């Protein structure tokens, strides 16, 4: 793989992460409008919302099988347009079955998209010989901020979902297709031959991958806690105004972007283990500040800490899976990606149930404790995964140096 090919591959994959951030934000930030357009009851809405991550997990499982025969870039090339078209379908429909089909397609395609994007990211990082995964996820965060801003404009001007989504899809769909021509796995001829050209070489033990799966789950429980409960917590528990209650998640998104933008430099300087430990401690501290906050402004400080802390964990978990199973990184990433959705499914109802049964302040201590568990598994993020990865001593170490 030439240096120019790697640069083009990195830029095109960064674009893909950004496009996905826009699409996902446009969906989740307009859920009230989707509910109104289709007349979805409050009782039925959770079923629709849960179906998306469940189907995304199924899409990730299917991607593991597919990449045994075709390259992840091929999966990504077709999954991303499907996500955008499904988003447009959500805005275009009128009947309940329309949105059910559109969200089903969106969920399956998102699972394939997330898995294949991170497969390519892990492969490119290995080819670069240094940490670049956080940069890809920074592009996703930037896309999320852009998507949320576009959603705000649509809501502010009282635009229909279809009118809001159509210009975005018209711009991003051809851009994603054009960028897909430069997707690359960053593999040399020897690696391609060893993996059979489809990324299925080597053995994969789920038992050895389990620590990273737990870390991924706990990180997304923390993330979904912020996205689903920050506004309600600030307003109902800390007594903020309705306007101020919308600020924490925006701050969280911005700090996530900033943390990921500089995170690769931290990994190169201090190593992945130190960065993950530091992020876990900062995130746990953020939850503690939120739980003990006497008022709204201190609460926002806690959510700011959470953004900087949680943002490094997920990208480094994918990277660690690639190091642990260097000859089967595609399958490892696909399986690990499932626990993204597991954490998302668990996080919101867990905090809600604890808040109703106990207190919302006390509920914030639960994701704090789960994030701290990451410290137990921090060495799995190191340059030598042999202790956690069995016989995979051939993992490359330069990407954390």
């Amino acid at each position: 793989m030439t240096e120019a090919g790697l640069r083009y591959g990195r830029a095109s994959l960064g674009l893909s992460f950004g496009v996905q951030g826009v699409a996902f934000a446009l969906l989740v930030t307009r859920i009230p409008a989707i509910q109104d357009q289709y007349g979805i009851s409050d009782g039925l809405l959770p079923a629709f919302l849960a179906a998306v991550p469940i189907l995304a997990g199924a899409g990730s499982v299917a991607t593991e099988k597919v990449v045994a025969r075709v390259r992840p870039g091929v999966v990504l090339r077709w999954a991303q347009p499907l996500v955008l078209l499904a988003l447009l379908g959500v805005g275009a429909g009128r009947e309940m079955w329309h949105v059910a089909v559109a969200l089903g397609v969106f969920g399956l395609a998102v699972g394939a998209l997330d898995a294949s994007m991170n497969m390519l990211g892990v492969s490119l990082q290995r080819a670069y010989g240094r940490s670049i995964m956080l940069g890809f996820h920074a592009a996703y965060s930037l896309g999320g901020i852009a998507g949320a801003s576009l959603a705000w404009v649509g809501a502010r001007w009282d635009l229909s979902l279809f009118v809001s989504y159509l210009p975005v899809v018209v711009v991003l769909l051809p851009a994603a297709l054009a960028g897909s021509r430069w997707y690359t796995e960053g593999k040399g001829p020897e690696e391609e031959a060893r993996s059979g050209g489809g990324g299925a070489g080597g053995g994969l033990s789920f038992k050895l991958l389990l620590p990273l799966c737990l870390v991924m789950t706990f990180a997304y429980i923390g993330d979904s806690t912020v996205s689903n409960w920050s506004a309600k917590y600030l307003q109902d528990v800390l007594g903020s105004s309705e306007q101020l209650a919308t600020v924490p998640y925006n701050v969280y998104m911005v700090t996530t972007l900033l943390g990921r933008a500089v995170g690769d430099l931290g990994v190169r300087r201090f190593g992945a283990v130190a960065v993950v430990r530091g992020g876990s401690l900062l995130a746990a501290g953020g939850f503690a500040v939120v739980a003990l906050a006497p008022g709204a402004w201190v609460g926002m400080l806690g959510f700011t800490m959470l953004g900087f802390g949680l943002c490094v964990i997920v990208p480094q978990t994918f990277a660690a899976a690639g190091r642990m199973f260097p000859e089967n990184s595609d399958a490892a990433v696909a399986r690990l990606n499932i626990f993204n959705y597991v954490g998302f499914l668990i996080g919101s109802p867990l905090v809600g149930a604890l808040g109703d049964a106990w207190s919302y302040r006390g509920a914030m201590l639960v994701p704090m404790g789960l994030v701290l568990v990451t410290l137990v598994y921090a060495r799995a993020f190191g340059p030598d995964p042999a202790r956690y990865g069995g016989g995979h001593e051939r993992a490359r170490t330069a990407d954390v140096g």
Side-chain angles (χ1 to χ4, degrees), residues 293-330:
W297 290 102
V298 177
M300 283 202 293
L301 171 63
F303 287 115
T304 301
M305 294 169 62
L306 280 168
F308 281 119
L310 289 175
C311 71
V312 300
I313 297 176
V314 170
Q316 285 307 306
T317 305
F318 281 121
R323 289 192 295 274
M324 187 176 288
F325 301 97
E327 295 181 3
N328 205 6
S329 62
D330 290 347

Side-chain angles (χ1 to χ4, degrees), residues 63-73 119 123 126 185 187 191-204 325-334:
T63 301
E64 178 187 347
K65 306 301 182 183
V66 172
V67 297
R69 295 172 175 80
V70 300
R71 299 188 185 285
M119 288 173 187
S123 181
R126 186 159 53 239
E185 295 180 59
K187 290 183 179 180
E191 287 179 288
E192 290 182 355
R194 188 165 57 240
S195 66
L204 176 62
F325 301 97
E327 295 181 3
N328 205 6
S329 62
D330 290 347
V333 167

Side-chain angles (χ1 to χ4, degrees), residues 29 145 148 222-258 286-287 289-290 293 295-310 364:
T29 56
I145 293 171
D223 181 84
S224 66
T225 297
V226 178
S227 60
N228 288 288
W229 293 103
S230 59
K232 179 178 175 61
Y233 188 89
L234 216 70
Q235 187 171 352
D236 294 355
V237 179
L238 301 183
S240 77
S241 66
E242 183 178 355
Q243 290 76 18
L244 187 60
T246 65
V247 174
Y249 186 61
N250 291 329
V251 171
Y252 175 77
M253 291 172 66
V254 171
T255 53
T256 296
L257 170 62
L258 295 175
F287 276 118
V289 169
V290 169
W297 290 102
V298 177
M300 283 202 293
L301 171 63
F303 287 115
T304 301
M305 294 169 62
L306 280 168
F308 281 119
L310 289 175
M364 291 295 164

Side-chain angles (χ1 to χ4, degrees), residues 266-268 270-278 316 323 378 381-383 399-400:
V267 174
R268 296 170 199 166
F270 302 107
V273 173
V275 168
V276 170
R277 282 175 174 162
Q316 285 307 306
R323 289 192 295 274
F381 291 81
D399 58 342
V400 295

Side-chain angles (χ1 to χ4, degrees), residues 22-47:
V22 173
F24 194 75
L26 279 170
L27 179 75
V28 299
T29 56
R30 298 303 307 273
I31 286 174
I34 295 171
Q35 186 178 10
D36 291 342
Q37 178 166 315
Y38 291 96
I40 303 172
S41 67
D42 289 340
L44 189 58
L45 182 62

Side-chain angles (χ1 to χ4, degrees), residues 107-264:
L108 288 169
V110 159
L113 178 61
D114 287 346
S116 57
M117 280 196 311
N118 283 289
M119 288 173 187
L120 290 177
V122 166
S123 181
L124 278 172
Q125 174 166 286
R126 186 159 53 239
Y128 262 83
R130 65 179 187 273
S131 179
I132 61 172
M133 277 295 289
L134 280 154
F136 294 130
H137 286 260
Y140 178 88
S141 297
L142 181 61
I145 293 171
S149 300
L150 290 170
W152 180 86
V153 171
R156 182 74 174 83
W157 290 355
D158 198 26
L159 301 176
S160 70
L161 288 172
F162 182 76
V163 172
S164 296
Y165 291 163
L166 181 60
V168 177
V169 174
V170 167
V171 171
L172 295 184
L173 181 57
L177 286 172
S180 69
R181 63 180 296 188
W182 290 291
Y183 290 155
T184 178
E185 295 180 59
K187 290 183 179 180
E190 292 183 1
E191 287 179 288
E192 290 182 355
R194 188 165 57 240
S195 66
L204 176 62
S205 167
F206 181 74
K207 180 180 179 180
L208 299 174
L209 188 65
L210 183 59
L212 297 180
C213 295
L214 292 175
V215 170
M216 181 71 79
T217 302
F218 299 155
Y220 270 99
I221 287 175
D223 181 84
S224 66
T225 297
V226 178
S227 60
N228 288 288
W229 293 103
S230 59
K232 179 178 175 61
Y233 188 89
L234 216 70
Q235 187 171 352
D236 294 355
V237 179
L238 301 183
S240 77
S241 66
E242 183 178 355
Q243 290 76 18
L244 187 60
T246 65
V247 174
Y249 186 61
N250 291 329
V251 171
Y252 175 77
M253 291 172 66
V254 171
T255 53
T256 296
L257 170 62
L258 295 175
R260 288 172 171 173
V262 301
D264 283 320

